Amino acid sequence: SGFKVNQNVPIFNEFVVSSPKPFTQIQDAMLAKGFFPGIGLGEFYPGREHDFLVCVTETKTKEQLDRFVEALKQC
């Protein structure tokens, strides 16, 4: 639903998600659902207020990741 990940770059544990909405809106909605959404890049890089860094490691299960994605879709 408008979220994008650049898959033309190597991805290991971290990747940048681009959102159709400012990250601050995504952050508020995700925190209200009990998820830490990642780090907004706008505070470090002007002009990237819609981008955020997500980290996924082996400490998360597929079910947890699926719930994260479903919550993100509702933002």
Side-chain angles (χ1 to χ4, degrees):
S1 59
F3 293 94
K4 296 180 181 165
V5 174
N6 182 353
Q7 296 183 6
N8 294 319
V9 296
I11 295 175
F12 183 56
N13 287 343
E14 298 175 341
F15 53 94
V16 174
V17 177
S18 295
S19 167
K21 298 178 183 177
F23 175 70
T24 53
Q25 290 179 14
I26 301 299
Q27 181 179 32
D28 291 344
M30 290 294 281
L31 289 172
K33 296 172 195 241
F35 291 97
F36 177 73
I39 302 293
L41 297 181
E43 71 178 276
F44 304 105
Y45 303 100
R48 299 202 64 186
E49 287 77 16
H50 291 247
D51 298 336
F52 56 104
L53 185 67
V54 175
C55 180
V56 178
T57 68
E58 69 280 357
T59 64
K60 302 298 178 219
T61 66
K62 181 179 181 328
E63 292 77 21
Q64 289 172 314
L65 298 175
D66 288 343
R67 286 196 311 269
F68 179 88
V69 170
E70 287 304 315
L72 197 56
K73 285 181 182 179
Q74 297 171 12
C75 290

